[in-house]
Amino acid sequence: MHSYPAPALALVEEMLAAAAADPARAVSFQGAPGANSHIAALRQDPACLPMPCYSFADAIDAVRAGRADRAIIPIENSANGRVADIHFLLPESGLSIIDEHFMAISHTLMATGPGPFAAAVSHVQALGQCRGYLRERGIVPMEYADTAGAAAKVAEDRDPSLAAIAPKLAAQLYGLDIVAEGIEDEHDNMTRFVVLARAPRDPAEIEGPAMTTFVFQVRNIPAALYKALGGFATNGVNMTKLESYQDGASFAATRFYCDIVGKPGDAAVDLALEELGFYSKNLRLLGCYPMARERT
């Protein structure tokens, strides 16, 4: 087990034991108990057994090994962009996206006393989402592996000049005082999570609006990306996300991560994916799943 701060260890061990006793209900997440992903797991499936993991890779490995039935991973935030590099983590994992979940994020400043504070420790995403609040008060941001782990670390160190930014639940779990609530710079702050499992969903069984996620690499020919994406436009398929990333250190191969509205089996989606296949290579579907929130 990776090292968690002492105040979190008993909770981690308790939750891991519960998950081991009933892996069919276990949902792995990255972070210490009280993290936003812990909360998201319970909101997405109130009957689940949240299973803390130190890293995103550990959460995915727990599903691959059968220790958890699913993993819930935050992939993007409305205020601060990409969270987890799912396009690196997922394609080689053998897992599929089977659901998505959106959760409003509110950050709380917590500590062992009232301050003033020289620094605040948290996950890099939380620090970025509270950048203005910290700057106005001259508080130095300090990165930690996750928000709730940062809260446990502050509780362990008992340094009165150090605060943590984490969900309110973390203050309750680790006995910290709440100094300020709602300190995020944008109050419509939203994070999108995806749920991963070993077996993909059957697109034919999805009722209502669906999303499909895939990655591909364009062929090295002029206007390949333009031609590859043209089929989605001509067939009226809405592409809600397109991100490029480098595959390896040569900078010669660019891959793309895409979300579209629709599913295989829809005539328009099938035609668009067929046309994509003419101008791309290494096309890989990462999952088809119910749309949790309408894209407009």
Side-chain angles (χ1 to χ4, degrees):
M1 183 190 300
H2 291 283
S3 177
Y4 287 92
L9 279 176
L11 282 170
V12 169
E13 291 171 357
E14 179 182 337
M15 293 169 72
L16 291 177
D22 193 358
R25 292 173 55 205
V27 175
S28 58
F29 69 92
Q30 185 271 333
N36 280 309
S37 294
H38 178 191
I39 298 167
L42 290 171
R43 290 186 182 177
Q44 201 275 333
D45 179 5
C48 80
L49 295 171
M51 176 184 174
C53 298
Y54 196 79
S55 70
F56 292 122
D58 290 341
I60 288 172
D61 286 345
V63 179
R64 294 176 62 186
R67 297 191 304 274
D69 182 63
R70 290 151 287 152
I72 189 163
I73 304 291
I75 61 169
E76 56 187 324
N77 176 264
S78 60
N80 211 44
R82 182 187 297 168
V83 179
D85 285 332
I86 197 70
H87 49 269
F88 287 120
L89 294 169
L90 187 53
E92 307 306 323
S93 72
L95 304 184
S96 296
I97 303 173
I98 62 165
D99 273 308
E100 64 175 357
H101 179 73
F102 289 83
M103 189 172 80
I105 303 295
S106 182
H107 293 297
T108 300
L109 190 72
M110 57 193 69
T112 56
F117 306 110
V121 59
S122 194
H123 187 272
V124 62
Q125 277 282 330
L127 295 171
Q129 293 161 29
C130 303
R131 186 179 296 110
Y133 178 91
L134 297 176
R135 185 185 300 119
E136 288 173 5
R137 290 158 180 80
I139 300 174
V140 176
M142 294 177 58
E143 293 183 17
Y144 200 78
D146 71 285
T147 54
K153 180 65 173 172
V154 167
E156 179 180 54
D157 289 351
R158 310 300 296 180
D159 182 345
S161 70
L162 190 63
I165 297 174
K168 188 188 298 186
L169 174 60
Q172 300 168 8
L173 291 177
Y174 304 121
L176 294 175
D177 296 333
I178 292 176
V179 179
E181 297 183 49
I183 65 169
E184 61 278 3
D185 297 330
E186 299 181 20
H187 295 293
D188 57 352
N189 194 18
M190 185 76 64
T191 292
R192 179 189 177 211
F193 296 79
V194 291
V195 180
L196 310 178
R198 290 183 295 280
R201 273 187 183 266
D202 182 351
E205 296 178 356
I206 299 175
E207 299 181 0
M211 299 292 296
T212 298
T213 297
F214 55 91
V215 292
F216 68 94
Q217 183 178 337
V218 293
R219 298 185 183 280
N220 190 22
I221 59 175
L225 181 59
Y226 174 81
K227 294 173 181 177
L229 300 182
F232 296 95
T234 57
N235 288 287
V237 176
N238 184 16
M239 181 174 289
T240 61
K241 187 179 184 67
L242 176 66
E243 286 193 357
S244 64
Y245 62 100
Q246 292 298 320
D247 186 14
S250 69
F251 294 94
T254 300
R255 290 185 181 271
F256 293 88
Y257 172 100
C258 295
D259 290 335
I260 60 171
V261 176
K263 60 186 179 181
D266 295 346
V269 171
D270 288 346
L271 288 170
L273 289 175
E274 182 180 2
E275 189 164 341
L276 174 64
F278 293 142
Y279 301 104
S280 68
K281 55 185 178 179
N282 300 326
L283 172 63
R284 185 177 300 185
L285 294 180
L286 300 184
C288 182
Y289 45 96
M291 180 190 294
R293 187 181 187 189
E294 184 177 358
R295 271 62 164 183
T296 55

